[in-house]
Every structure is written in C-alpha cells, then in structure tokens.
Amino acid sequence: MGGGALSSYPDAVQDRGMCGRFAMNKETNELIEEFVAAGGDWRDWRPGWNIKPTQEIPIVVESTKTGELVRRLEPARWSLVPSWSKTLKLKFPTFNARSEGIAEKATWRGPLKSHRCLVPMTGYYEWRTDPDGTKTPHFIHLPGETLAMAGLYSWWPDPALPQDDPARWNLTATILTADAVDELIGIHDRNPVPLPRDWWDDWLNPELEGDQSFVDAAVQAALPVAQSLEFYEVAPLRGDGPELLEPVRS
C-alpha cells in the first residue's frame, strides 16, 4: 500500500499503555505441545516475566509457508508493522489494536483478513490509578491456564536488505483489546481478548476471511474467559524474574 495507507496510520493509535507488559514463563516445547504446533526459529527465546513492546514474543499462526497449511509457533516482534511501512520503528504504538472499528483501520484491516494469531501468556500486568494519582501494578491471570490472546500479525520486509536475504522478513504482531468486563473495570477500562479453546481453530484459519462481525463475535466469545480472570497486587516491576508474580502481602 502507498501513501494513502501511511496517511491513515494515526488511526492505528490504540489503547496506549493497555496490556503493555505480560509474562510468558513456559518453554517453547511446552507451548508447542499445548497449541499442537510445529516449532519456529527459537535461538533467542527465553521465558520472560516482564515482556515489553518491541521485544520478542511467541505467537501461534496458521499458514502455507511450507506449501501446506501448518500451525506453527513463531517468534515475533511485539508491535505490528504494516508491510507498507518504510521503517521498522514507527512513530505510533501498535502493540495493541482496539477491536471496535478495527476493520476500518488501514494498519489492521489487511492482517485481519487472514493474518490472525494467538499470543500465549501466563498473564498480564495492569496499573490501577487511584484517586490521588498513584498507579498500582496488578497481575491478571487465569490460575493454572495459559491464556491465548487474540492477535494479528504482519511480515515486514526490510527495504535495506536484498530480496533473497532471509533476514529481510520480520514477523511482527499486536494484541486485540476490548472494553473491560465488570470484574476488571476497577483495574483498567480495557482488557485483552482471551479466546476460549473452541475459538482457536477459526481465529487462526487463514481461509476464513476476517471482518468486523468476525471480531465482534470473537470478543463476545471471550467474555466468559475474561470474566474468570483473577488479579492481585504486585510490587513495582523491576528486572525480569519469577519474583515479579509474587503478590504483595498487606
């Protein structure tokens, strides 16, 4: 896409700061088994408890990359970069995508059609803002379960590299958000979209063309999962280790 798409890019600014940190403390082999996926290139992956935008995250995709439709676990840069962008580093944040009106946005509507993914996570962090302005971090999760957040992905080609250079292609991804369920509204007015297992196949299927009604249905299907999420206060996030998940004791 050309200049018209670039001029529409500000439409992609969504939920600044929402679901901006999460934990994924499983090894790739565990995730491959859980999502019944083939493996990708995981030389640089390690479990993380304080994953930030633009860092590498595991995503689950289905594509015909190898000639047949295969479900794969792949490493991606957490912040979607449209294929038409001239640079990898963008002026506006794209680690989250607002589900409402998503099919109308130039940044999202292409990936929505057939480049949908799942973003596995142990849980995510959100900061509650108190009346005095104090921001208190909380960890939001589903005990004993790996969450599968609805996401989109895009392959961004680096124009500085030759066409035949494997490093030319960068896999990037975003996480969809929706209005917070009542159970979480006290923490933040938005939450990611945690898809139930019976929605994984359809969400990943590139032969099902995604549109706004498809996203709306996914958000509705995610409500029971979102309503089941639990949360507790944690200490300010410093470093990256399992101690970040420890609840603050009053």
Side-chain angles (χ1 to χ4, degrees):
M1 300 176 70
L6 286 169
S7 66
S8 301
Y9 182 76
D11 288 343
V13 180
Q14 307 290 356
D15 302 330
R16 190 187 300 270
M18 170 59 214
C19 191
R21 301 286 178 91
F22 73 86
M24 182 63 263
N25 59 11
K26 288 190 175 182
E27 299 286 349
T28 54
N29 286 344
E30 294 178 271
L31 289 172
I32 288 170
E33 291 178 2
E34 186 165 357
F35 289 88
V36 193
D41 184 353
W42 292 100
R43 288 171 292 183
D44 299 324
W45 167 256
R46 62 180 179 82
W49 292 265
N50 188 12
I51 300 172
K52 309 174 183 67
T54 75
Q55 290 185 334
E56 184 177 89
I57 62 172
I59 68 171
V60 182
V61 302
E62 278 189 3
S63 75
T64 54
K65 180 180 178 181
T66 58
E68 60 179 336
L69 188 63
V70 176
R71 180 171 299 182
R72 307 191 317 279
L73 189 74
E74 292 281 2
R77 181 180 185 271
W78 183 22
S79 283
L80 187 145
V81 182
S83 60
W84 40 260
S85 175
K86 295 181 179 179
T87 61
L88 181 63
K89 186 176 181 180
L90 299 174
K91 185 177 180 180
F92 303 98
T94 56
F95 54 89
N96 287 161
R98 195 178 184 90
S99 59
E100 301 90 341
I102 192 170
E104 301 172 4
K105 311 303 185 192
T107 303
W108 313 129
R109 63 179 172 232
L112 173 61
K113 289 182 179 180
S114 61
H115 285 183
R116 299 178 301 272
C117 65
L118 298 174
V119 181
M121 63 176 68
T122 306
Y124 67 98
Y125 302 96
E126 195 50 73
W127 283 256
R128 185 191 66 212
T129 302
D130 297 326
D132 64 358
T134 302
K135 294 183 181 294
T136 305
H138 289 72
F139 184 63
I140 304 173
H141 67 133
L142 190 59
E145 298 287 339
T146 300
L147 295 169
M149 300 302 184
L152 307 176
Y153 72 93
S154 175
W155 286 98
W156 178 75
D158 187 342
L161 296 177
Q163 293 276 355
D164 59 352
D165 189 336
R168 172 180 168 85
W169 292 95
N170 297 267
L171 183 58
T172 68
T174 189
I175 296 172
L176 270 63
T177 69
D179 285 336
V181 294
D182 290 345
E183 290 79 2
L184 299 176
I185 197 70
I187 304 296
H188 199 279
D189 61 358
R190 306 285 295 175
N191 59 246
V193 178
L195 290 178
R197 190 174 293 268
D198 61 5
W199 253 80
W200 292 3
D201 290 351
D202 283 351
W203 185 257
L204 292 175
N205 187 352
E207 297 179 358
L208 290 178
E209 183 169 323
D211 56 16
Q212 189 64 54
S213 62
F214 186 65
V215 172
D216 294 344
V219 170
Q220 287 298 310
L223 288 177
V225 183
Q227 291 163 347
S228 300
L229 295 176
E230 299 181 10
F231 59 87
Y232 54 83
E233 182 181 342
V234 294
L237 303 186
R238 297 189 178 92
D240 184 11
E243 68 278 1
L244 296 182
L245 303 189
E246 295 176 3
V248 168
R249 305 296 181 185
S250 56

